[in-house]
Amino acid sequence: MAKGKWRAKLKSGKYVAMQKGTSIYFLLWSAFSLMALVIVALFAFSQHYVLRNTYEQEMAKSLAEKGKQIETFIDRAGLNGIESEEYSAFVRYLGTANDVDVYIITAGGKVLAPKESGVENEELDIRDDFRTEMDELLPKLQENEGRSVIYSNGREYVYGARLANHHGQPTYLYVCRSLVFINAVMGQMTARIVLIAVFVFLLSFAVSSAISGVLVKPIVSMTEKTRRFARGDFEVDFMEGAYGGEIVALAQTLNFARDEISKADKMQKELIANVSHDFKTPLTMIKAYASMIREISGDIPEKRNKHAQVIEEEADRLASLVNDVLDLSKIRSGIDSLKITEFDLSAYVFDVLDRFTYLSETKGYKFVVDVEDGLYTAADELKIGQVLYNLIGNAVNYTGEDKKVYVSLKKERGGVRFAVRDTGKGIKQEELSTIWDRYYRSAETHKRPVKGTGLGLSIVKSILERHGFIFGVDSAEGKGSTFYVVFPCDDKI
Ligand code: ADP
């Protein structure tokens, strides 16, 4: 296949599973084949080794006994008349009786007995040239100081011994038994082992195919589901068709990821809906009041000012919404670096509280303040101002009928704890973790004295997380909530 085509297929996702790493099928197949190879090799080695060794040991033992006997017979008979036909028959008889071949030869490899019978008989297979054999035998005898030796030259097992001199020349006894039989057996066995090896390889191929089929099936189906999931299908169930502990665990994790991502996706959609709605309301108001000024109140200063004020307020609301969205994305993306300075947190809390005085003067809110003097911390002052403002603002928005908000700042072990408590409905246990999310806004619509964009707590969370401060909320349903932040304490105080 052309390179381009492959790339296109890879891109389409068809071969995603094969892009990296070796396939499970190949790994299994190699492991099985290697195991089979090792087993067959061990089997072949042990068979060869054990069989051949046992056979040769037995052969050596019996040849040693028989050779000794034959040597004794020949010694007793002496070498007189060795050229005669009878002597040859005697030597031949010794061979047949013991199921071996017997020769008496000279140092030069010439056969003295048995002589060729003159009859053409291939079965008798009389050998007459023992030069090569003698070249082997003589040094061995010498090494063994003239006594008998027994050895194998690969073709046959040999018993060799020095006999008496004949006409002043040394003679030798050469008794042998062929290894043709065992070599044939070994050959047969090798052929069988090759057959077994081929069979085992085929078997390992079949077994590894079956096992990898079982293993890979759920993974392939999961890959397919993940692809669907990536395209935005949040209905996929990774558990369906998953089996085996590890794969089930993976499926559970993927299902968990799916739920989390779909939650985030839902929140994101809600945010777009909320924000566009929140943008639309002030814009409609601005447009309506501007038309009113043009058409009705333009010439009546009192009315015109009132209408213009509404336009200003709505424009402010719009601006704060835009600011919040921008703030959040800047903090989240990390563009806005923190400007850490040391400042008087106690004084700063009062400054922020001052921004709420209009509420106690006009709407009857009561701020119960318990702030220790002269507590310093090191942080980004402006951003901490945003945190305090949002937390106090929320307490005002959600506090109970008594309109009380408790603000405290106290030194404690390891830091300065800021807390703001309200007496409202509190937050449901299951909502406690979600309220910090960027797009979360509780379902119920609430009349708020302080403008809220639904982004307040996520801004708080982002700022505090970037500082690395401890923060949280304790809430009891029906009793109210306490939001707190622990600032690092400056020891210079
Ligand atoms: P907003 O208050 O503008 O909706 P926030 O991000 O400040 O947005 O708060 C997110 C949600 O957390 C609120 O909609 C509300 O449901 C809940 N919440 C925040 N502060 C409090 C509080 N003091 N008491 C009860 N609920 C609160």
PDB file of all heavy atoms in Angstrom, residues 94-114:
ATOM      1  N   LEU A  94      34.370 -66.690  15.450  1.00  0.00           N
ATOM      2  CA  LEU A  94      34.418 -65.859  16.666  1.00  0.00           C
ATOM      3  C   LEU A  94      33.544 -64.610  16.509  1.00  0.00           C
ATOM      4  O   LEU A  94      32.839 -64.191  17.428  1.00  0.00           O
ATOM      5  CB  LEU A  94      35.858 -65.441  16.978  1.00  0.00           C
ATOM      6  CG  LEU A  94      36.780 -66.508  17.565  1.00  0.00           C
ATOM      7  CD1 LEU A  94      38.189 -65.941  17.753  1.00  0.00           C
ATOM      8  CD2 LEU A  94      36.254 -67.001  18.924  1.00  0.00           C
ATOM      9  N   GLY A  95      33.584 -64.029  15.310  1.00  0.00           N
ATOM     10  CA  GLY A  95      32.785 -62.815  15.026  1.00  0.00           C
ATOM     11  C   GLY A  95      31.297 -63.107  15.061  1.00  0.00           C
ATOM     12  O   GLY A  95      30.553 -62.453  15.791  1.00  0.00           O
ATOM     13  N   THR A  96      30.889 -64.150  14.278  1.00  0.00           N
ATOM     14  CA  THR A  96      29.450 -64.440  14.213  1.00  0.00           C
ATOM     15  C   THR A  96      28.901 -64.824  15.575  1.00  0.00           C
ATOM     16  O   THR A  96      27.795 -64.386  15.960  1.00  0.00           O
ATOM     17  CB  THR A  96      29.174 -65.624  13.232  1.00  0.00           C
ATOM     18  OG1 THR A  96      30.296 -65.791  12.380  1.00  0.00           O
ATOM     19  CG2 THR A  96      27.936 -65.366  12.401  1.00  0.00           C
ATOM     20  N   ALA A  97      29.678 -65.641  16.320  1.00  0.00           N
ATOM     21  CA  ALA A  97      29.183 -66.088  17.628  1.00  0.00           C
ATOM     22  C   ALA A  97      28.953 -64.907  18.563  1.00  0.00           C
ATOM     23  O   ALA A  97      28.071 -64.938  19.419  1.00  0.00           O
ATOM     24  CB  ALA A  97      30.178 -67.074  18.227  1.00  0.00           C
ATOM     25  N   ASN A  98      29.756 -63.860  18.415  1.00  0.00           N
ATOM     26  CA  ASN A  98      29.641 -62.721  19.346  1.00  0.00           C
ATOM     27  C   ASN A  98      28.909 -61.514  18.742  1.00  0.00           C
ATOM     28  O   ASN A  98      28.856 -60.446  19.356  1.00  0.00           O
ATOM     29  CB  ASN A  98      31.027 -62.274  19.795  1.00  0.00           C
ATOM     30  CG  ASN A  98      31.649 -63.290  20.733  1.00  0.00           C
ATOM     31  OD1 ASN A  98      31.153 -63.491  21.832  1.00  0.00           O
ATOM     32  ND2 ASN A  98      32.687 -63.970  20.268  1.00  0.00           N
ATOM     33  N   ASP A  99      28.436 -61.706  17.513  1.00  0.00           N
ATOM     34  CA  ASP A  99      27.717 -60.634  16.832  1.00  0.00           C
ATOM     35  C   ASP A  99      28.566 -59.368  16.648  1.00  0.00           C
ATOM     36  O   ASP A  99      28.127 -58.234  16.897  1.00  0.00           O
ATOM     37  CB  ASP A  99      26.433 -60.304  17.614  1.00  0.00           C
ATOM     38  CG  ASP A  99      25.479 -59.496  16.763  1.00  0.00           C
ATOM     39  OD1 ASP A  99      25.639 -59.513  15.523  1.00  0.00           O
ATOM     40  OD2 ASP A  99      24.596 -58.825  17.341  1.00  0.00           O
ATOM     41  N   VAL A 100      29.837 -59.591  16.276  1.00  0.00           N
ATOM     42  CA  VAL A 100      30.753 -58.470  16.014  1.00  0.00           C
ATOM     43  C   VAL A 100      31.601 -58.831  14.784  1.00  0.00           C
ATOM     44  O   VAL A 100      31.523 -59.953  14.295  1.00  0.00           O
ATOM     45  CB  VAL A 100      31.706 -58.208  17.207  1.00  0.00           C
ATOM     46  CG1 VAL A 100      30.976 -57.609  18.389  1.00  0.00           C
ATOM     47  CG2 VAL A 100      32.430 -59.479  17.622  1.00  0.00           C
ATOM     48  N   ASP A 101      32.386 -57.885  14.286  1.00  0.00           N
ATOM     49  CA  ASP A 101      33.343 -58.187  13.213  1.00  0.00           C
ATOM     50  C   ASP A 101      34.725 -58.309  13.830  1.00  0.00           C
ATOM     51  O   ASP A 101      35.114 -57.460  14.651  1.00  0.00           O
ATOM     52  CB  ASP A 101      33.362 -57.060  12.183  1.00  0.00           C
ATOM     53  CG  ASP A 101      32.028 -56.971  11.456  1.00  0.00           C
ATOM     54  OD1 ASP A 101      31.318 -57.995  11.407  1.00  0.00           O
ATOM     55  OD2 ASP A 101      31.694 -55.864  10.963  1.00  0.00           O
ATOM     56  N   VAL A 102      35.460 -59.354  13.450  1.00  0.00           N
ATOM     57  CA  VAL A 102      36.794 -59.573  14.045  1.00  0.00           C
ATOM     58  C   VAL A 102      37.852 -59.623  12.940  1.00  0.00           C
ATOM     59  O   VAL A 102      37.640 -60.272  11.910  1.00  0.00           O
ATOM     60  CB  VAL A 102      36.816 -60.921  14.820  1.00  0.00           C
ATOM     61  CG1 VAL A 102      38.177 -61.139  15.490  1.00  0.00           C
ATOM     62  CG2 VAL A 102      35.710 -60.960  15.846  1.00  0.00           C
ATOM     63  N   TYR A 103      38.942 -58.888  13.164  1.00  0.00           N
ATOM     64  CA  TYR A 103      40.049 -58.897  12.195  1.00  0.00           C
ATOM     65  C   TYR A 103      41.357 -58.965  12.954  1.00  0.00           C
ATOM     66  O   TYR A 103      41.492 -58.400  14.033  1.00  0.00           O
ATOM     67  CB  TYR A 103      40.059 -57.610  11.357  1.00  0.00           C
ATOM     68  CG  TYR A 103      38.789 -57.413  10.565  1.00  0.00           C
ATOM     69  CD1 TYR A 103      37.756 -56.656  11.077  1.00  0.00           C
ATOM     70  CD2 TYR A 103      38.653 -57.995   9.297  1.00  0.00           C
ATOM     71  CE1 TYR A 103      36.596 -56.477  10.364  1.00  0.00           C
ATOM     72  CE2 TYR A 103      37.479 -57.806   8.578  1.00  0.00           C
ATOM     73  CZ  TYR A 103      36.457 -57.047   9.107  1.00  0.00           C
ATOM     74  OH  TYR A 103      35.310 -56.872   8.411  1.00  0.00           O
ATOM     75  N   ILE A 104      42.309 -59.701  12.322  1.00  0.00           N
ATOM     76  CA  ILE A 104      43.681 -59.631  12.848  1.00  0.00           C
ATOM     77  C   ILE A 104      44.470 -58.914  11.773  1.00  0.00           C
ATOM     78  O   ILE A 104      44.469 -59.321  10.600  1.00  0.00           O
ATOM     79  CB  ILE A 104      44.234 -61.043  13.110  1.00  0.00           C
ATOM     80  CG1 ILE A 104      43.383 -61.731  14.198  1.00  0.00           C
ATOM     81  CG2 ILE A 104      45.695 -60.984  13.553  1.00  0.00           C
ATOM     82  CD1 ILE A 104      43.639 -63.198  14.359  1.00  0.00           C
ATOM     83  N   ILE A 105      45.121 -57.831  12.153  1.00  0.00           N
ATOM     84  CA  ILE A 105      45.791 -57.013  11.140  1.00  0.00           C
ATOM     85  C   ILE A 105      47.201 -56.651  11.548  1.00  0.00           C
ATOM     86  O   ILE A 105      47.566 -56.721  12.725  1.00  0.00           O
ATOM     87  CB  ILE A 105      44.998 -55.695  10.873  1.00  0.00           C
ATOM     88  CG1 ILE A 105      44.418 -55.141  12.190  1.00  0.00           C
ATOM     89  CG2 ILE A 105      43.910 -55.896   9.883  1.00  0.00           C
ATOM     90  CD1 ILE A 105      43.522 -53.975  12.013  1.00  0.00           C
ATOM     91  N   THR A 106      47.959 -56.221  10.546  1.00  0.00           N
ATOM     92  CA  THR A 106      49.348 -55.810  10.805  1.00  0.00           C
ATOM     93  C   THR A 106      49.337 -54.326  11.135  1.00  0.00           C
ATOM     94  O   THR A 106      48.327 -53.639  10.958  1.00  0.00           O
ATOM     95  CB  THR A 106      50.220 -56.031   9.558  1.00  0.00           C
ATOM     96  OG1 THR A 106      49.725 -55.148   8.541  1.00  0.00           O
ATOM     97  CG2 THR A 106      50.202 -57.461   9.093  1.00  0.00           C
ATOM     98  N   ALA A 107      50.509 -53.819  11.583  1.00  0.00           N
ATOM     99  CA  ALA A 107      50.613 -52.399  11.922  1.00  0.00           C
ATOM    100  C   ALA A 107      50.350 -51.544  10.696  1.00  0.00           C
ATOM    101  O   ALA A 107      49.851 -50.411  10.806  1.00  0.00           O
ATOM    102  CB  ALA A 107      51.998 -52.102  12.483  1.00  0.00           C
ATOM    103  N   GLY A 108      50.611 -52.076   9.509  1.00  0.00           N
ATOM    104  CA  GLY A 108      50.396 -51.310   8.277  1.00  0.00           C
ATOM    105  C   GLY A 108      48.963 -51.357   7.792  1.00  0.00           C
ATOM    106  O   GLY A 108      48.647 -50.789   6.744  1.00  0.00           O
ATOM    107  N   GLY A 109      48.078 -52.088   8.498  1.00  0.00           N
ATOM    108  CA  GLY A 109      46.663 -52.102   8.135  1.00  0.00           C
ATOM    109  C   GLY A 109      46.317 -53.244   7.199  1.00  0.00           C
ATOM    110  O   GLY A 109      45.238 -53.275   6.590  1.00  0.00           O
ATOM    111  N   LYS A 110      47.217 -54.230   7.044  1.00  0.00           N
ATOM    112  CA  LYS A 110      46.934 -55.363   6.147  1.00  0.00           C
ATOM    113  C   LYS A 110      46.218 -56.444   6.947  1.00  0.00           C
ATOM    114  O   LYS A 110      46.607 -56.759   8.070  1.00  0.00           O
ATOM    115  CB  LYS A 110      48.266 -55.908   5.617  1.00  0.00           C
ATOM    116  CG  LYS A 110      48.122 -56.844   4.451  1.00  0.00           C
ATOM    117  CD  LYS A 110      49.514 -57.100   3.840  1.00  0.00           C
ATOM    118  CE  LYS A 110      49.559 -58.410   3.098  1.00  0.00           C
ATOM    119  NZ  LYS A 110      49.481 -59.576   3.863  1.00  0.00           N
ATOM    120  N   VAL A 111      45.152 -57.004   6.391  1.00  0.00           N
ATOM    121  CA  VAL A 111      44.383 -58.027   7.103  1.00  0.00           C
ATOM    122  C   VAL A 111      45.067 -59.386   6.965  1.00  0.00           C
ATOM    123  O   VAL A 111      45.351 -59.840   5.861  1.00  0.00           O
ATOM    124  CB  VAL A 111      42.943 -58.105   6.560  1.00  0.00           C
ATOM    125  CG1 VAL A 111      42.166 -59.202   7.266  1.00  0.00           C
ATOM    126  CG2 VAL A 111      42.231 -56.769   6.724  1.00  0.00           C
ATOM    127  N   LEU A 112      45.346 -60.017   8.156  1.00  0.00           N
ATOM    128  CA  LEU A 112      45.942 -61.351   8.126  1.00  0.00           C
ATOM    129  C   LEU A 112      44.848 -62.409   8.182  1.00  0.00           C
ATOM    130  O   LEU A 112      44.937 -63.450   7.536  1.00  0.00           O
ATOM    131  CB  LEU A 112      46.903 -61.533   9.312  1.00  0.00           C
ATOM    132  CG  LEU A 112      48.119 -60.572   9.309  1.00  0.00           C
ATOM    133  CD1 LEU A 112      48.907 -60.692  10.604  1.00  0.00           C
ATOM    134  CD2 LEU A 112      49.028 -60.876   8.120  1.00  0.00           C
ATOM    135  N   ALA A 113      43.838 -62.142   8.945  1.00  0.00           N
ATOM    136  CA  ALA A 113      42.702 -63.072   9.010  1.00  0.00           C
ATOM    137  C   ALA A 113      41.479 -62.266   9.404  1.00  0.00           C
ATOM    138  O   ALA A 113      41.612 -61.283  10.169  1.00  0.00           O
ATOM    139  CB  ALA A 113      42.960 -64.138  10.058  1.00  0.00           C
ATOM    140  N   PRO A 114      40.270 -62.598   8.966  1.00  0.00           N
ATOM    141  CA  PRO A 114      39.987 -63.653   7.984  1.00  0.00           C
ATOM    142  C   PRO A 114      40.354 -63.193   6.568  1.00  0.00           C
ATOM    143  O   PRO A 114      40.261 -61.998   6.271  1.00  0.00           O
ATOM    144  CB  PRO A 114      38.474 -63.830   8.108  1.00  0.00           C
ATOM    145  CG  PRO A 114      37.972 -62.513   8.557  1.00  0.00           C
ATOM    146  CD  PRO A 114      39.032 -61.894   9.382  1.00  0.00           C
TER     147      PRO A 114
END
